[in-house]
């Protein structure tokens, strides 16, 4: 379900060129607010940035907040009237490159391809 929601709001354009070339994974960089990059999600690859100012103007910016306290996560997606809809869940690392994100009964294991203080890229199942 998580993967479906992320994939359903993708746009076609390229992500940051410098960040996509790095396969670095710094697990401590995950807590914080991540804004979905307008990118083609072909192959199930989803990209986020911590720098909202680098994004083009939009009516709504999908985002996800990973909280370090209690491993909580909040995902904001467009609601039926375009107001942000918050969905609360939890997250945990299985390994340094496998992240489990749960929203209620739905649980997805995401393969993290790159993670640093400004860029998050993962592949959905």
């Amino acid at each position: 379900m998580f993967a479906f929601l992320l994939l359903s709001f993708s746009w076609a354009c390229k992500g940051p060129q410098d960040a996509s070339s790095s396969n670095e994974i710094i697990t401590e960089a995950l807590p914080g607010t991540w804004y979905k990059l307008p990118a083609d999600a072909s192959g199930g690859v989803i990209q986020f940035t911590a720098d909202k100012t680098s994004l083009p103007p939009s009516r709504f910016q999908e985002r996800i907040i990973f909280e370090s306290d209690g491993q909580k996560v909040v995902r904001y997606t467009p609601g039926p009237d375009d107001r942000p809809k918050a969905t609360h869940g939890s997250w945990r690392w299985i390994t340094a490159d496998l992240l489990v994100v749960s929203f209620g009964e739905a649980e997805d294991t995401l393969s993290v391809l790159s993670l640093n203080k400004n860029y998050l890229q993962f592949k959905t199942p």
Side-chain angles (χ1 to χ4, degrees):
M1 172 139 180
F2 176 71
F4 171 75
L5 289 173
L6 287 175
L7 289 172
S8 64
F9 299 108
S10 58
W11 298 269
C13 83
K14 293 186 178 182
Q17 299 300 321
D18 57 333
S20 62
S21 63
S22 172
N23 291 343
E24 176 182 48
I25 298 174
I26 303 170
T27 57
E28 297 82 18
L30 185 65
T33 302
W34 295 94
Y35 299 92
K36 187 169 182 297
L37 287 168
D40 179 16
S42 62
V45 175
I46 307 293
Q47 302 175 61
F48 286 84
T49 182
D51 181 15
K52 184 178 180 178
T53 61
S54 68
L55 297 170
S58 67
R59 186 170 169 178
F60 175 83
Q61 186 59 56
E62 187 176 344
R63 66 190 179 278
I64 189 165
I65 301 170
F66 291 94
E67 298 179 14
S68 59
D69 181 25
Q71 308 301 330
K72 297 176 189 171
V73 63
V74 182
R75 179 182 60 217
Y76 291 92
T77 56
D81 58 359
D82 284 342
R83 285 187 288 180
K85 176 185 171 195
T87 306
H88 298 267
S90 63
W91 65 274
R92 70 183 187 283
W93 288 105
I94 295 176
T95 64
D97 64 344
L98 289 177
L99 176 67
V100 174
V101 181
S102 304
F103 292 100
E105 298 287 322
E107 181 174 280
D108 284 320
T109 301
L110 308 174
S111 177
V112 178
L113 305 174
S114 181
L115 171 60
N116 60 45
K117 67 179 185 169
N118 294 314
Y119 183 73
L120 167 62
Q121 180 184 49
F122 59 83
K123 186 173 177 87
T124 58

